[in-house]
Amino acid sequence: MDRGVEWDFEPTLDRIAALLDLLGSPQRAYPVIHIAGTNGKTSTARLVEALLRERNLRVGRFTSPHLISMRERITVDGQPLTEERFAEVYEEIAPYVELNDTQGRRIQFFELLTAMAFAAFADTPVDVAVVEAGMGGSWDATNVADGTVAVITPISLDHTDRLGPDIPSIAGEKAGIIKPGATAVLAQQTLEAAEVLMRRAAEVGAVVAREGLEFGVLAREVAMGGQLLTLRGLKGVYEEVYLPLYGAHQAGNAVCALAAVEALTGGDEPLDVELVRQAFAQVSSPGRMEVVRRDPTVVVDAAHNPGGMEATLEALHEAFGFAKVVGVVAVMADKDVDTLLDLLEPVLDEIVVTRNSSPRSMTAQELAARAVPLFGEERVRVVERLDEAIDTGIALADAEGEFSGTGVLITGSVVTAGDARHLLKADGV
């Protein structure tokens, strides 16, 4: 059934709200932790899920976009729906979708997936749903749910054609997930974003918890395979928490997840520190600063906007300290490509420009035309196919010698990260 493409949508909740009414409002069958923001949403969702599951709760998680399989977006108990269950959920709601269509409310692609997730979670049933907004917040299909806790991860410029040209506009859209009586967990924000979020919280009477004020990362040190954290939550301090994810941004995601779960549980008692340690020690976030090969070390990261790329490059320097870095880069044509290249230029010794599997991908030749003025022709390799580009990047690193300290960074898009993981046969979702 053709529902159009995911990135083509109209800003209204009418269609999805009408469909969910026909389905019996499954999004109201369980408490929801709703997550919006520009960067870090999926990682934060996985961290929240890990904490909740460690408390022996059955958790549904809805995230987007996927890296390899559409089924990754809808998980129960940490596992994507099986192919059979995914098809079954679609078939169960299809008659209601068709009925909605006949009433002049033709459901779009992302709305259909959102409805499937809410229906699957209600049918399981789950104890808690962790729901990531697809784009924005106010008009995102997921916003038919009223989150008991609303988490806003760091806001920066992205999707400016849809969400607005500046930070206040984008923050205003994302603030729409903060509902009356909810707890708003706010990651560290720029002043202009924070002002918008605080205004929204005041308007709807939400309780506010801000990173750096009501909670935060007290200490952080690099550890083998990740970092060791001391976190101050809303109800207590949690020491010696190992997180197998790289970068200060992931520490921020972790403490936001911690605060969100504390807020959901109510009361004044902190979470059991061993529970927090166990949960975070086993968390993963595929495609986010993920090592997919050694000798040479190949890191895959889904950074696709300036804020995300800045965090990635800081984490790359801190965690790996490569003497040289070869980049394999494929980006979407509608992104801020020039700023991404500006950020990469001081870090990459050589760049292999290519394209990913999306029809929205910038061609290798177009990307090269943007890169050459910054990097110079001698540092730019143009390879049309991503698989060959990865081989080229690894060969360039190998040519430096086994003890050169040269690494490979594959980045530029979630699709690029997903394609690379598939090609390099990385495990897990």
Side-chain angles (χ1 to χ4, degrees), residues 72-396:
E72 296 167 31
R73 300 187 183 208
I74 307 173
T75 73
V76 175
D77 286 338
Q79 295 300 313
L81 297 188
T82 63
E83 291 181 5
E84 293 78 13
R85 181 60 183 145
F86 192 86
E88 189 178 76
V89 173
Y90 172 76
E91 288 165 2
E92 287 171 355
I93 74 168
Y96 301 96
V97 173
E98 296 299 334
L99 177 59
N100 213 46
D101 286 352
T102 63
Q103 295 174 347
R105 294 184 290 260
R106 181 170 171 77
I107 290 295
Q108 297 180 345
F109 177 85
F110 184 72
E111 293 169 337
L112 177 60
L113 285 175
T114 302
M116 287 176 62
F118 286 139
F121 297 159
D123 191 54
T124 297
V126 300
D127 297 310
V128 186
V130 183
V131 177
E132 174 187 340
M135 184 187 299
S138 295
W139 303 111
D140 189 78
T142 62
N143 206 31
V144 289
D146 294 328
T148 304
V149 180
V151 182
I152 310 289
T153 66
I155 293 172
S156 59
L157 293 175
D158 199 10
H159 301 296
T160 52
D161 56 329
R162 301 295 176 90
L163 304 181
D166 51 36
I167 295 296
S169 303
I170 295 171
E173 279 299 306
K174 296 183 186 295
I177 74 163
I178 303 173
K179 301 294 179 64
T183 297
V185 174
L186 309 182
Q188 286 195 331
Q189 306 287 349
T190 62
L191 179 60
E192 52 189 350
E195 288 175 344
V196 173
L197 297 175
M198 291 298 292
R199 190 179 310 121
R200 167 69 180 184
E203 288 170 356
V204 301
V207 175
V208 175
R210 296 158 292 180
E211 182 184 1
L213 292 173
E214 284 78 19
F215 68 94
V217 179
L218 295 182
R220 189 175 71 85
E221 58 183 88
V222 176
M224 182 67 69
Q227 51 193 311
L228 192 65
L229 308 175
T230 299
L231 305 175
R232 178 165 59 86
L234 300 176
K235 301 176 182 179
V237 173
Y238 305 81
E239 297 180 333
E240 297 183 358
V241 177
Y242 174 70
L243 183 70
L245 304 175
Y246 299 106
H249 63 295
Q250 291 289 18
N253 292 336
V255 80
C256 285
L258 175 65
V261 173
E262 286 180 314
L264 184 74
T265 57
D268 297 323
E269 288 296 313
L271 303 181
D272 181 85
V273 67
E274 280 303 321
L275 178 150
V276 174
R277 289 170 181 157
Q278 288 287 338
F280 282 170
Q282 56 193 312
V283 80
S284 66
S285 192
R288 278 77 180 176
M289 289 301 295
E290 181 184 14
V291 177
V292 295
R293 174 181 164 150
R294 297 286 186 183
D295 301 321
T297 298
V298 178
V299 179
V300 171
D301 190 82
H304 57 275
N305 56 52
M309 190 62 75
E310 286 176 353
T312 288
L313 297 178
E314 287 174 9
L316 189 76
H317 173 73
E318 174 186 87
F320 297 96
F322 294 130
K324 294 184 178 181
V325 182
V326 177
V328 178
V329 181
V331 299
M332 299 303 187
D334 59 351
K335 295 298 180 180
D336 186 357
V337 178
D338 292 329
T339 301
L340 293 177
L341 291 171
D342 274 336
L343 292 167
L344 287 164
E345 190 278 328
V347 176
L348 302 183
D349 293 87
E350 295 187 72
I351 183 171
V352 182
V353 295
T354 185
R355 67 169 300 151
N356 60 44
S357 61
S358 170
R360 295 164 55 218
S361 180
M362 180 173 280
T363 68
Q365 292 296 337
E366 289 173 318
L367 188 52
R370 303 281 193 96
V372 166
L374 286 170
F375 287 79
E377 287 190 20
E378 69 283 355
R379 292 168 62 198
V380 179
R381 308 289 182 104
V382 185
V383 181
E384 295 293 336
R385 289 168 50 112
L386 181 59
D387 56 348
E388 295 174 358
I390 292 171
D391 287 344
T392 299
I394 291 172
L396 288 169

Side-chain angles (χ1 to χ4, degrees), residues 30-93:
Y30 34 76
V32 171
I33 294 180
H34 201 178
I35 303 172
T38 304
N39 294 302
K41 296 189 295 296
T42 299
S43 293
T44 302
R46 295 178 76 102
L47 287 155
V48 169
E49 176 191 46
L51 286 168
L52 293 171
R53 291 189 64 215
E54 195 65 27
R55 301 186 77 230
N56 295 316
L57 296 173
R58 173 162 276 189
V59 184
R61 171 168 54 85
F62 180 55
T63 54
S64 61
H66 58 276
L67 286 168
I68 297 172
S69 167
M70 188 77 67
R71 295 182 295 107
E72 296 167 31
R73 300 187 183 208
I74 307 173
T75 73
V76 175
D77 286 338
Q79 295 300 313
L81 297 188
T82 63
E83 291 181 5
E84 293 78 13
R85 181 60 183 145
F86 192 86
E88 189 178 76
V89 173
Y90 172 76
E91 288 165 2
E92 287 171 355
I93 74 168

